[in-house]
Amino acid sequence: WDYIENLGKSQQSPFKPRPWQVHNHCLALHENQGMAGTKDSQWKHYQRLMKQFGQDEFHFMPETFILPEERKDFLKLLQTRPQAWIIKPVIGKRALGVQIVTSKQDLPSARDKNRYVLQRYITNPLLIHGRKFHLRLYMVISNLSPLRVLLHQEGLVLFAAHNYSSSPSSFKNLTVHLTNAAVADRNDMQHQKNGWLLSELWDHLDKTLGSEKLDQIKKRIEDAFVKLAMASQLRGGGFEERLSGTCFDFFGVDVLIDDQ
Protein backbone atom coordinates (compact mmCIF):
# COMPACT_ATOMS: atom_id res chain seq x y z
CA TRP A 1 0.00 0.00 0.00
CA ASP A 2 1.00 3.65 -0.47
CA TYR A 3 -1.35 5.51 1.91
CA ILE A 4 -3.03 4.76 5.24
CA GLU A 5 -5.22 7.00 7.37
CA ASN A 6 -5.54 6.62 11.13
CA LEU A 7 -8.71 8.13 12.57
CA GLY A 8 -8.78 6.37 15.94
CA LYS A 9 -8.09 7.83 19.37
CA SER A 10 -4.81 5.99 19.63
CA GLN A 11 -2.08 6.60 17.11
CA GLN A 12 -0.23 3.42 18.05
CA SER A 13 0.32 1.30 14.98
CA PRO A 14 0.93 -2.47 14.82
CA PHE A 15 3.35 -1.90 11.94
CA LYS A 16 5.91 0.61 10.76
CA PRO A 17 5.26 2.37 7.46
CA ARG A 18 8.04 1.99 4.95
CA PRO A 19 9.88 5.18 4.00
CA TRP A 20 7.78 5.89 0.88
CA GLN A 21 4.38 5.05 2.41
CA VAL A 22 2.22 8.08 3.30
CA HIS A 23 0.64 8.25 6.75
CA ASN A 24 -1.55 11.03 8.17
CA HIS A 25 0.48 11.01 11.39
CA CYS A 26 4.18 10.97 12.17
CA LEU A 27 4.23 7.92 14.39
CA ALA A 28 7.43 8.98 16.16
CA LEU A 29 5.51 11.91 17.65
CA HIS A 30 2.92 9.59 19.20
CA GLU A 31 4.65 6.38 20.18
CA ASN A 32 6.68 5.85 23.36
CA GLN A 33 5.20 8.97 24.94
CA GLY A 34 6.19 11.36 22.17
CA MET A 35 5.34 15.06 22.17
CA ALA A 36 1.72 14.23 21.28
CA GLY A 37 1.44 12.22 24.49
CA THR A 38 0.21 13.12 27.94
CA LYS A 39 1.13 16.19 30.02
CA ASP A 40 3.55 14.19 32.16
CA SER A 41 5.43 12.78 29.15
CA GLN A 42 5.76 16.27 27.68
CA TRP A 43 7.36 17.45 30.92
CA LYS A 44 9.81 14.54 30.88
CA HIS A 45 10.93 15.40 27.34
CA TYR A 46 11.31 19.03 28.36
CA GLN A 47 13.39 18.05 31.42
CA ARG A 48 15.70 15.96 29.24
CA LEU A 49 16.44 18.90 26.97
CA MET A 50 16.80 21.29 29.90
CA LYS A 51 19.51 19.03 31.35
CA GLN A 52 21.20 18.71 27.95
CA PHE A 53 21.16 22.37 26.89
CA GLY A 54 20.70 24.26 30.18
CA GLN A 55 18.01 26.38 31.79
CA ASP A 56 19.03 29.47 29.83
CA GLU A 57 17.67 27.79 26.71
CA PHE A 58 14.76 25.94 28.34
CA HIS A 59 12.91 28.17 30.75
CA PHE A 60 9.47 28.52 29.18
CA MET A 61 7.67 25.82 31.21
CA PRO A 62 7.01 26.33 34.94
CA GLU A 63 8.42 23.98 37.55
CA THR A 64 6.46 20.72 37.50
CA PHE A 65 5.87 17.63 39.63
CA ILE A 66 4.17 14.38 38.64
CA LEU A 67 1.76 12.70 41.04
CA PRO A 68 1.65 10.22 42.60
CA GLU A 69 5.37 9.34 42.25
CA GLU A 70 6.72 12.80 43.16
CA ARG A 71 4.21 13.54 45.90
CA LYS A 72 6.79 13.43 48.74
CA ASP A 73 9.20 15.70 46.87
CA PHE A 74 6.42 18.17 46.22
CA LEU A 75 5.23 18.24 49.85
CA LYS A 76 8.80 18.81 51.03
CA LEU A 77 9.09 21.80 48.70
CA LEU A 78 5.69 23.13 49.71
CA GLN A 79 6.81 23.22 53.37
CA THR A 80 9.86 25.34 52.59
CA ARG A 81 8.38 27.44 49.77
CA PRO A 82 4.64 27.91 50.15
CA GLN A 83 3.00 29.24 46.99
CA ALA A 84 0.19 28.52 44.58
CA TRP A 85 0.28 25.52 42.22
CA ILE A 86 -2.12 24.35 39.54
CA ILE A 87 -3.01 20.66 39.33
CA LYS A 88 -4.31 18.94 36.19
CA PRO A 89 -5.05 15.33 35.23
CA VAL A 90 -2.36 14.14 32.80
CA ILE A 91 -5.13 13.27 30.33
CA GLY A 92 -8.05 15.64 30.24
CA LYS A 93 -9.96 18.34 28.42
CA ARG A 94 -12.42 21.18 29.04
CA ALA A 95 -10.49 22.05 32.25
CA LEU A 96 -12.14 19.17 34.09
CA GLY A 97 -10.31 18.29 37.31
CA VAL A 98 -8.15 21.44 37.23
CA GLN A 99 -7.67 23.24 40.55
CA ILE A 100 -5.34 25.72 42.21
CA VAL A 101 -3.75 24.31 45.33
CA THR A 102 -1.81 25.93 48.16
CA SER A 103 -1.65 23.20 50.81
CA LYS A 104 -1.46 19.45 51.32
CA GLN A 105 -5.19 19.41 52.03
CA ASP A 106 -5.90 20.59 48.47
CA LEU A 107 -4.16 17.59 46.90
CA PRO A 108 -5.82 14.34 45.84
CA SER A 109 -5.68 11.60 48.46
CA ALA A 110 -2.43 9.66 48.72
CA ARG A 111 -4.54 6.60 47.83
CA ASP A 112 -5.56 8.19 44.53
CA LYS A 113 -3.64 6.33 41.82
CA ASN A 114 -4.68 8.64 38.99
CA ARG A 115 -1.84 10.63 37.47
CA TYR A 116 -1.62 14.41 37.73
CA VAL A 117 0.78 17.21 36.87
CA LEU A 118 1.41 19.94 39.43
CA GLN A 119 2.84 23.14 37.99
CA ARG A 120 3.93 26.32 39.69
CA TYR A 121 1.05 28.72 39.19
CA ILE A 122 1.97 31.85 37.26
CA THR A 123 0.53 34.63 39.40
CA ASN A 124 1.63 37.51 37.16
CA PRO A 125 -0.08 36.89 33.81
CA LEU A 126 -0.31 39.64 31.25
CA LEU A 127 -3.85 41.02 31.42
CA ILE A 128 -6.15 42.46 28.79
CA HIS A 129 -8.76 44.82 30.25
CA GLY A 130 -8.14 43.20 33.63
CA ARG A 131 -8.72 39.63 32.46
CA LYS A 132 -6.32 36.72 32.15
CA PHE A 133 -5.98 35.05 28.74
CA HIS A 134 -4.08 32.36 26.88
CA LEU A 135 -3.25 31.75 23.24
CA ARG A 136 -4.24 28.64 21.32
CA LEU A 137 -1.75 28.38 18.46
CA TYR A 138 -1.55 25.78 15.72
CA MET A 139 1.56 24.01 14.54
CA VAL A 140 2.14 21.57 11.70
CA ILE A 141 5.14 19.27 11.54
CA SER A 142 5.37 18.54 7.85
CA ASN A 143 8.70 16.75 7.73
CA LEU A 144 10.85 14.78 10.16
CA SER A 145 14.23 14.65 8.50
CA PRO A 146 15.08 17.45 8.26
CA LEU A 147 12.62 18.60 10.92
CA ARG A 148 10.21 21.19 9.54
CA VAL A 149 7.83 23.05 11.87
CA LEU A 150 5.19 25.48 10.58
CA LEU A 151 3.32 27.88 12.87
CA HIS A 152 0.02 29.24 11.57
CA GLN A 153 -0.11 33.04 11.49
CA GLU A 154 -3.62 33.07 12.98
CA GLY A 155 -4.84 31.60 16.25
CA LEU A 156 -7.25 32.10 19.12
CA VAL A 157 -7.09 34.20 22.29
CA LEU A 158 -9.29 32.87 25.10
CA PHE A 159 -10.18 34.95 28.17
CA ALA A 160 -11.22 34.13 31.70
CA ALA A 161 -14.81 35.08 32.43
CA HIS A 162 -13.98 37.41 35.34
CA ASN A 163 -11.27 39.96 36.08
CA TYR A 164 -8.04 38.49 37.44
CA SER A 165 -7.00 38.56 41.09
CA SER A 166 -3.86 37.11 42.66
CA SER A 167 -5.49 37.02 46.09
CA PRO A 168 -5.54 33.49 47.59
CA SER A 169 -9.20 34.05 48.44
CA SER A 170 -9.97 33.97 44.70
CA PHE A 171 -8.25 30.64 43.96
CA LYS A 172 -11.43 28.59 44.26
CA ASN A 173 -13.17 30.79 41.69
CA LEU A 174 -12.09 29.14 38.45
CA THR A 175 -13.87 31.75 36.33
CA VAL A 176 -11.12 34.16 37.46
CA HIS A 177 -8.15 31.88 36.86
CA LEU A 178 -9.00 29.44 34.05
CA THR A 179 -9.26 30.67 30.49
CA ASN A 180 -10.80 27.56 28.95
CA ALA A 181 -14.12 28.42 27.27
CA ALA A 182 -15.69 25.34 28.85
CA VAL A 183 -15.37 26.97 32.29
CA ALA A 184 -17.57 29.87 31.15
CA ASP A 185 -20.01 27.40 29.59
CA ARG A 186 -20.34 25.46 32.85
CA ASN A 187 -21.01 28.71 34.72
CA ASP A 188 -23.65 29.99 32.27
CA MET A 189 -21.47 32.87 31.05
CA GLN A 190 -21.70 32.16 27.33
CA HIS A 191 -23.04 35.69 26.79
CA GLN A 192 -19.64 37.23 27.54
CA LYS A 193 -17.13 37.78 24.77
CA ASN A 194 -14.41 35.36 25.78
CA GLY A 195 -12.29 35.25 22.65
CA TRP A 196 -10.31 37.22 20.08
CA LEU A 197 -8.41 36.26 17.01
CA LEU A 198 -4.64 36.24 17.44
CA SER A 199 -4.34 39.11 14.97
CA GLU A 200 -6.56 41.23 17.23
CA LEU A 201 -4.24 40.55 20.16
CA TRP A 202 -1.15 41.49 18.14
CA ASP A 203 -2.81 44.79 17.16
CA HIS A 204 -3.68 45.48 20.80
CA LEU A 205 -0.18 44.66 22.10
CA ASP A 206 1.45 46.71 19.36
CA LYS A 207 -0.50 49.73 20.66
CA THR A 208 -0.04 49.04 24.37
CA LEU A 209 3.45 47.49 24.59
CA GLY A 210 5.07 48.74 21.40
CA SER A 211 6.40 46.95 18.35
CA GLU A 212 9.79 46.07 19.89
CA LYS A 213 8.24 44.25 22.87
CA LEU A 214 5.72 42.52 20.59
CA ASP A 215 8.50 41.25 18.33
CA GLN A 216 10.26 39.82 21.40
CA ILE A 217 7.08 37.97 22.44
CA LYS A 218 6.61 36.51 18.95
CA LYS A 219 10.23 35.36 18.70
CA ARG A 220 10.09 33.66 22.09
CA ILE A 221 6.90 31.83 21.11
CA GLU A 222 8.43 30.63 17.84
CA ASP A 223 11.55 29.54 19.70
CA ALA A 224 9.47 27.55 22.21
CA PHE A 225 7.55 25.77 19.43
CA VAL A 226 10.75 24.58 17.76
CA LYS A 227 12.11 23.33 21.08
CA LEU A 228 8.88 21.44 21.78
CA ALA A 229 9.38 19.53 18.55
CA MET A 230 13.04 18.94 19.42
CA ALA A 231 12.00 17.47 22.78
CA SER A 232 10.31 14.57 21.04
CA GLN A 233 12.96 14.21 18.34
CA LEU A 234 15.78 13.74 20.83
CA ARG A 235 13.98 11.42 23.23
CA GLY A 236 15.41 8.33 21.58
CA GLY A 237 18.20 9.59 19.35
CA GLY A 238 16.04 10.96 16.54
CA PHE A 239 13.00 10.24 14.39
CA GLU A 240 12.49 7.26 12.14
CA GLU A 241 13.68 7.70 8.57
CA ARG A 242 10.89 9.08 6.38
CA LEU A 243 10.91 10.41 2.84
CA SER A 244 9.95 14.07 2.63
CA GLY A 245 6.18 14.56 2.50
CA THR A 246 5.20 11.07 3.68
CA CYS A 247 3.82 12.08 7.10
CA PHE A 248 2.52 15.14 8.89
CA ASP A 249 0.98 16.11 12.21
CA PHE A 250 -1.19 18.98 13.41
CA PHE A 251 -1.02 20.28 16.99
CA GLY A 252 -2.86 22.86 19.06
CA VAL A 253 -0.56 24.38 21.70
CA ASP A 254 -1.60 26.67 24.56
CA VAL A 255 0.63 29.62 25.49
CA LEU A 256 0.41 31.88 28.53
CA ILE A 257 2.21 35.25 28.46
CA ASP A 258 3.30 36.78 31.77
CA ASP A 259 3.68 40.48 32.45
CA GLN A 260 7.47 40.37 32.07
Side-chain angles (χ1 to χ4, degrees):
W1 55 268
D2 291 321
Y3 174 80
I4 187 170
E5 184 174 12
N6 188 332
L7 298 176
K9 290 184 179 179
S10 173
Q11 310 304 338
Q12 299 286 349
S13 174
F15 51 82
K16 298 291 185 184
R18 295 179 180 177
W20 72 87
Q21 294 172 323
V22 180
H23 195 270
N24 70 322
H25 288 288
C26 297
L27 296 181
L29 300 175
H30 296 267
E31 296 178 337
N32 301 319
Q33 296 189 324
M35 72 170 290
T38 56
K39 296 179 179 71
D40 55 337
S41 67
Q42 291 161 4
W43 170 247
K44 289 176 182 177
H45 296 318
Y46 180 87
Q47 273 188 310
R48 185 176 295 114
L49 281 182
M50 185 166 58
K51 290 177 181 177
Q52 184 172 349
F53 296 104
Q55 292 187 4
D56 288 342
E57 290 294 330
F58 285 83
H59 54 81
F60 55 87
M61 285 184 71
E63 187 176 6
T64 300
F65 290 84
I66 309 299
L67 298 185
E69 57 261 44
E70 296 178 341
R71 182 185 180 93
K72 290 183 179 179
D73 293 335
F74 172 72
L75 290 176
K76 186 182 298 184
L77 176 67
L78 193 62
Q79 287 180 338
T80 60
R81 202 174 72 197
Q83 61 186 85
W85 297 76
I86 187 165
I87 187 169
K88 312 169 189 177
V90 298
I91 300 176
K93 58 183 179 179
R94 296 176 57 81
L96 295 172
V98 178
Q99 298 181 63
I100 299 173
V101 302
T102 57
S103 68
K104 178 180 178 180
Q105 288 68 36
D106 296 327
L107 296 178
S109 165
R111 296 186 296 273
D112 188 342
K113 300 306 179 185
N114 292 314
R115 294 177 62 77
Y116 301 89
V117 292
L118 265 167
Q119 293 183 307
R120 179 178 52 80
Y121 187 58
I122 297 173
T123 56
N124 61 324
L126 184 64
L127 304 178
I128 300 291
H129 305 313
R131 292 160 72 190
K132 183 180 174 181
F133 66 94
H134 84 269
L135 316 183
R136 167 53 67 95
L137 305 179
Y138 297 98
M139 172 175 72
V140 169
I141 293 182
S142 62
N143 205 60
L144 293 179
S145 184
L147 180 63
R148 188 178 187 207
V149 181
L150 304 174
L151 179 61
H152 200 288
Q153 63 182 1
E154 194 56 275
L156 299 175
V157 184
L158 301 176
F159 291 89
H162 285 144
N163 280 9
Y164 180 74
S165 170
S166 60
S167 169
S169 63
S170 73
F171 287 163
K172 299 299 182 185
N173 187 352
L174 298 184
T175 62
V176 170
H177 294 277
L178 300 189
T179 52
N180 191 302
V183 175
D185 292 344
R186 289 198 292 271
N187 288 274
D188 296 322
M189 295 177 178
Q190 302 92 330
H191 60 283
Q192 290 190 242
K193 183 177 180 182
N194 289 323
W196 284 358
L197 291 175
L198 181 63
S199 52
E200 294 179 90
L201 176 69
W202 293 156
D203 288 343
H204 176 84
L205 295 183
D206 186 46
K207 295 173 183 175
T208 56
L209 300 180
S211 58
E212 183 177 350
K213 182 66 173 178
L214 177 58
D215 286 343
Q216 291 176 1
I217 291 172
K218 290 181 177 180
K219 288 177 181 177
R220 290 188 66 181
I221 289 173
E222 291 170 0
D223 181 65
F225 269 63
V226 172
K227 289 172 180 174
L228 282 174
M230 286 172 57
S232 188
Q233 183 181 29
L234 297 180
R235 78 188 193 283
F239 289 135
E240 82 267 28
E241 289 296 322
R242 306 290 306 156
L243 292 181
S244 179
T246 57
C247 73
F248 64 91
D249 250 299
F250 178 76
F251 300 95
V253 181
D254 292 336
V255 176
L256 180 68
I257 303 174
D258 64 29
D259 62 9
Q260 299 302 308

